């Protein structure tokens, strides 16, 4: 897992160094993680209580705060690219369910049969969650030999100082069919504004929506002028007030990085323009 994150960071840094815009880089990194069976996104995403894969994703470009998102998307490996197309097409910000799938088909995205996205590890996880009558988050128990470690996201600041954020997930194991979480909600799971910061979150989606976590970081920077780490921790505290733990990754307009968490662990990493990389799991790392 750490190796894959390190490889993602190196790939993102190489793309940024070659001049790719931040929004292209966060999409590319999230696509890579969606194709990896160990994360809760695309291939290997968690299963709903009916055993299906329903994917949420969102992307935002800090240059003009353009945004696109999909919720409850079925039958596509790369929901982040469908969200990107929603953003680029420009009529809407959020498409859900069959409407999102019809949009993806109309855009020429190749459909992937649901069963091709489901891993055995996720089937076993759903069985365990059903037995315990629990709606299960990947990050809740880092000690458990869970098949995967969560929602994926990326934030970036490019050579021209532009910011972008992207987030993708299968949601919560054993969630009710039709449930859409924060990862599809601009302002909760994803936010980017060149003036302030880019943020991608993971956590209990209901609490993160109620606390508008990603936008809360932006609001704190604009209104109170505090630093990114303080703004990020305060946003997570507001989610905790709503009963939800989790974490976020963020970069600000000056390139400072914050990756705080209130959950037991979160696989996360960062890399700077001088190629100094950091990959960690637990809160005190
Ligand atoms: N935030 C995601 C959701 O609630 C789950 C997660 O990040 O683990 O759908």
């Amino acid at each position: 897992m750490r190796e894959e994150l390190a490889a993602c960071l190196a790939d993102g840094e190489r793309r940024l160094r070659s001049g790719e815009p931040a929004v292209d880089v966060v999409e590319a990194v999230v696509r890579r993680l969606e194709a990896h069976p160990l994360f809760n996104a695309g291939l290997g995403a968690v299963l709903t209580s009916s055993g299906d894969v329903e994917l949420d994703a969102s992307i935002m470009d800090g240059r003009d705060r353009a945004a696109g998102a999909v919720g409850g998307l079925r039958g596509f490996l790369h929901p982040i690219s469908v969200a990107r197309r929603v953003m680029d097409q420009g009529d809407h910000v959020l498409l859900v369910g069959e409407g999102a799938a019809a949009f993806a088909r109309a855009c020429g995205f190749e459909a992937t049969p649901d069963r091709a996205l489901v891993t055995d590890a996720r089937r076993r996880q759903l069985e365990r969650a059903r037995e315990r009558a629990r709606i299960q988050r990947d990050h809740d128990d880092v000690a458990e030999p869970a098949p995967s470690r969560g929602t994926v996201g990326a934030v970036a600041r490019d050579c021209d100082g532009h910011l972008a954020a992207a987030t993708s997930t299968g949601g919560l194991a054993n969630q009710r069919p039709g449930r859409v979480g924060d990862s599809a909600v601009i302002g909760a799971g994803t936010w980017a504004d060149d003036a302030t910061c880019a943020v991608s979150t993971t956590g209990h989606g209901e609490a993160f929506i109620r606390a508008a976590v990603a936008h809360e970081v932006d609001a704190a920077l604009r209104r109170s002028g505090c630093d990114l780490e303080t703004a990020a921790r305060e946003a997570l505290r507001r989610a905790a007030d709503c009963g939800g733990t989790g974490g976020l990754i963020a970069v600000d307009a000056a390139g400072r990085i914050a990756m705080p968490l209130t959950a037991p662990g979160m696989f996360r990493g960062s890399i700077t323009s001088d190629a100094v990389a950091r990959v960690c799991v637990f809160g005190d790392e």
Side-chain angles (χ1 to χ4, degrees), residues 164-217:
T167 312
S168 183
T169 190
L172 306 174
N174 203 26
Q175 69 183 16
R176 185 181 285 274
R179 179 255 185 196
V180 174
D182 59 319
S183 308
V185 178
I186 296 297
T190 301
W191 186 262
D193 184 339
D194 277 4
T196 52
C197 59
V199 182
S200 172
T201 76
T202 177
H204 291 103
E206 283 69 15
F208 275 53
I209 292 172
R210 289 165 58 209
V213 169
H215 182 261
E216 192 62 29
V217 181

Side-chain angles (χ1 to χ4, degrees), residues 10-29:
D11 183 38
E13 195 265 339
R14 187 187 51 73
R15 288 170 183 275
L16 288 166
R17 198 161 15 89
S18 73
E20 276 188 45
V23 71
D24 289 357
V25 174
V26 294
E27 181 190 355
V29 169

Side-chain angles (χ1 to χ4, degrees), residues 89-116:
Q89 202 271 339
D91 285 340
H92 306 297
V93 167
L94 171 60
L95 294 177
V96 301
E98 182 43 41
F103 173 80
R105 284 192 296 273
C107 291
F109 285 98
E110 194 189 333
T112 307
D114 238 14
R115 62 183 178 285

Side-chain angles (χ1 to χ4, degrees), residues 89-143:
Q89 202 271 339
D91 285 340
H92 306 297
V93 167
L94 171 60
L95 294 177
V96 301
E98 182 43 41
F103 173 80
R105 284 192 296 273
C107 291
F109 285 98
E110 194 189 333
T112 307
D114 238 14
R115 62 183 178 285
L117 298 175
V118 178
T119 62
D120 287 344
R122 289 308 187 186
R123 286 197 191 91
R124 289 194 297 274
Q125 181 192 43
L126 178 61
E127 272 165 35
R128 286 198 304 273
R130 279 176 175 157
E131 277 160 19
R132 297 182 203 154
R134 277 188 67 184
I135 298 170
Q136 174 92 39
R137 244 195 102 232
D138 270 8
H139 290 303
D140 276 349
D141 185 358
V142 182

